[in-house]
């Protein structure tokens, strides 16, 4: 409870005399920008909290927004492949295009998981650079925060010391949060979790849990009735203690699988702002970790 309160205080940012105009592709990145930029930034996310950033379309509003921005931050690792290249092509603001001083690829230097060795068309919507959902895990998000800090310093060098101090504070807070949760999850090491999409993999891995199967047979591909039946027949509460999913996927299917195995279904918060308690990047992790912990510890000894 104490840590939650501290994290909530961390979320509060009042842009009183905002200066640097920042546009991000996701609310997670917007939260990281606020962590580093504090009241020196005015940040907007192009996607809303409950929009799956895999599947947006470029709009004139997005192009207008980044045309007026000093800094543009994208997630990278092909998350926004379907729309960001077009937005950047259409803008007249050369500064925020790839290679410009106002462009940040937040994934630079991230150690990605699930990088395919070979890519074939029957692998679904697979990401050649690895799983792009690294912002759900605080330690990897520190690298994104470093990339954002570098970008802010490039366009607003006068506040360099402030940005570096805020980065350091973010690293310390996120390390403490992870440390606390990893310790609490120690008794549940390698407990099996069944997922829908590979959205929470970085955080589940950080918590020491074991991802045993996925409702999506391939990333981006809806499951067939046969695949659902196979999941139900091949798992028990001993191999999969709970099913976790994102709110934008078919919850009837998630419910069917969870009920079929006889375990809880958890619809987790996929992004900052997508549910109460997940107002910033640290409380997003905190909220998801707490809900998983409650679900697993409630079935202890069964
Ligand atoms: Zn994905």
């Amino acid at each position: 409870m104490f840590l939650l309160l501290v994290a909530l205080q961390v979320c509060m940012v009042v842009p009183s005399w905002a200066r640097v105009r920042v546009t991000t592709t996701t609310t997670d990145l917007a939260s990281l920008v606020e962590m580093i930029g504090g009241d020196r930034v005015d940040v907007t996310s192009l996607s809303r909290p409950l929009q799956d950033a895999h599947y947006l379309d470029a709009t004139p509003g997005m192009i207008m927004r980044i045309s007026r921005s000093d800094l543009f931050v994208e997630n990278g690792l092909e998350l926004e492949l379907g729309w960001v290249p077009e937005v950047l092509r259409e803008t007249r603001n050369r500064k925020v295009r790839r290679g410009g001083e106002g462009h940040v690829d937040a994934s630079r230097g991230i150690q990605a998981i699930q990088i395919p060795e070979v890519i074939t068309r029957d692998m679904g919507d697979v990401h050649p650079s690895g799983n792009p959902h690294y912002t759900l895990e605080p330690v990897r998000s520190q690298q994104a925060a470093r990339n954002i800090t570098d970008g802010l310093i490039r366009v607003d060098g006068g506040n360099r010391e402030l940005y570096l101090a805020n980065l350091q504070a973010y690293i310390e807070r996120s390390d403490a949060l992870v440390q606390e949760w990893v310790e609490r999850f120690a008794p549940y090491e390698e407990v099996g979790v069944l997922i829908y999409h590979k959205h929470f993999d970085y955080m589940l891995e950080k918590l020491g849990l074991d991802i045993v199967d996925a409702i999506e047979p391939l990333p981006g591909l809806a499951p067939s009735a046969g695949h659902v039946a196979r999941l139900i027949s091949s798992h028990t509460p001993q191999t999969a203690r709970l099913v976790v999913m994102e709110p934008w996927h078919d919850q009837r299917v998630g419910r069917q699988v969870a009920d079929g195995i006889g375990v809880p279904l958890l619809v987790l918060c996929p992004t900052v702002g997508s549910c109460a308690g997940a107002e910033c990047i640290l409380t997003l992790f905190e909220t998801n970790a707490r809900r998983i912990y409650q679900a697993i510890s409630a079935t202890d000894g069964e």
Side-chain angles (χ1 to χ4, degrees):
M1 193 60 201
F2 172 71
L3 259 177
L4 175 66
L5 288 176
V6 171
L8 281 173
Q9 284 163 12
V10 172
C11 289
M12 285 191 275
V13 176
V14 186
S16 52
W17 40 292
R19 290 173 48 189
V20 183
R21 286 163 301 184
V22 186
T23 300
T24 65
T25 53
T26 67
T27 54
D28 293 6
L29 294 169
S31 175
L32 281 168
V33 169
E34 288 183 335
M35 293 280 173
I36 307 304
D39 61 2
R40 311 301 162 96
V41 296
D42 172 13
V43 58
T44 306
S45 165
L46 294 179
S47 60
R48 292 191 296 273
L50 283 170
Q51 283 182 316
D52 184 349
H54 282 297
Y55 304 114
L56 292 190
D57 290 314
T59 65
M62 291 177 181
I63 295 159
M64 207 188 322
R65 172 70 212 180
I66 77 160
S67 294
R68 293 194 300 252
S69 296
D70 302 305
L71 198 69
F72 173 62
V73 184
E74 61 173 302
N75 184 89
L77 299 184
E78 286 106 25
L79 176 70
E80 310 100 330
L81 199 60
W83 52 289
V84 162
E86 189 182 337
V87 172
L88 290 179
R89 206 165 44 239
E90 295 295 321
T91 181
R92 293 203 183 130
N93 184 356
R94 291 176 162 272
K95 210 169 76 169
V96 299
R97 288 189 187 152
R98 284 184 164 263
E101 65 164 7
H103 180 273
V104 174
D105 177 345
S107 72
R108 196 168 51 86
I110 295 276
Q111 291 202 313
I113 57 171
Q114 298 159 0
I115 300 173
E117 283 174 24
V118 283
I119 294 169
T120 57
R121 265 197 293 174
D122 57 9
M123 289 169 75
D125 230 356
V126 75
H127 298 287
S129 309
N131 187 316
H133 305 295
Y134 59 84
T135 54
L136 279 286
E137 191 272 274
V139 176
R140 279 191 181 76
S141 80
Q142 294 170 1
Q143 178 60 23
R146 286 189 193 94
N147 293 329
I148 286 167
T149 305
D150 290 346
L152 283 170
I153 291 172
R154 282 198 301 276
V155 298
D156 182 33
N159 284 309
R160 183 174 186 279
E161 296 311 317
L162 174 83
Y163 297 143
L164 289 173
N166 287 346
L167 172 65
Q168 191 53 38
Y170 178 69
I171 289 171
E172 285 166 18
R173 286 198 183 98
S174 46
D175 274 344
L177 189 66
V178 168
Q179 188 60 35
E180 146 129 5
W181 279 108
V182 167
E183 279 167 23
R184 290 182 73 176
F185 271 87
Y188 302 115
E189 205 182 341
E190 292 184 11
V191 158
V193 177
L194 203 146
I195 60 170
Y196 195 112
H197 178 77
K198 293 175 179 292
H199 191 86
F200 299 101
D201 290 26
Y202 286 102
M203 74 159 293
L204 294 171
E205 194 180 73
K206 179 60 74 187
L207 297 174
L209 302 173
D210 193 13
I211 298 161
V212 292
D213 232 325
I215 295 178
E216 277 186 342
L218 296 165
L221 192 69
S224 64
H227 181 69
V228 169
R230 188 192 66 75
L231 288 174
I232 293 171
S233 66
S234 56
H235 287 288
T236 66
Q238 281 70 47
T239 61
R241 284 272 279 274
L242 74 161
V243 175
V244 303
M245 68 178 295
E246 309 74 26
W248 49 57
H249 287 123
D250 190 343
Q251 291 180 38
R252 287 167 307 177
V253 178
R255 171 59 56 203
Q256 192 188 348
V257 172
D259 287 353
I261 301 171
V263 293
L265 170 69
L266 272 188
V267 181
L268 294 177
C269 311
T271 59
V272 166
S274 61
C275 55
E279 281 79 17
C280 74
I281 196 82
L282 291 175
T283 52
L284 171 69
F285 182 77
E286 164 87 16
T287 300
N288 284 331
R290 189 176 60 246
R291 289 171 62 184
I292 294 169
Y293 182 84
Q294 285 167 347
I296 290 180
S297 56
T299 57
D300 234 358
E302 278 179 19

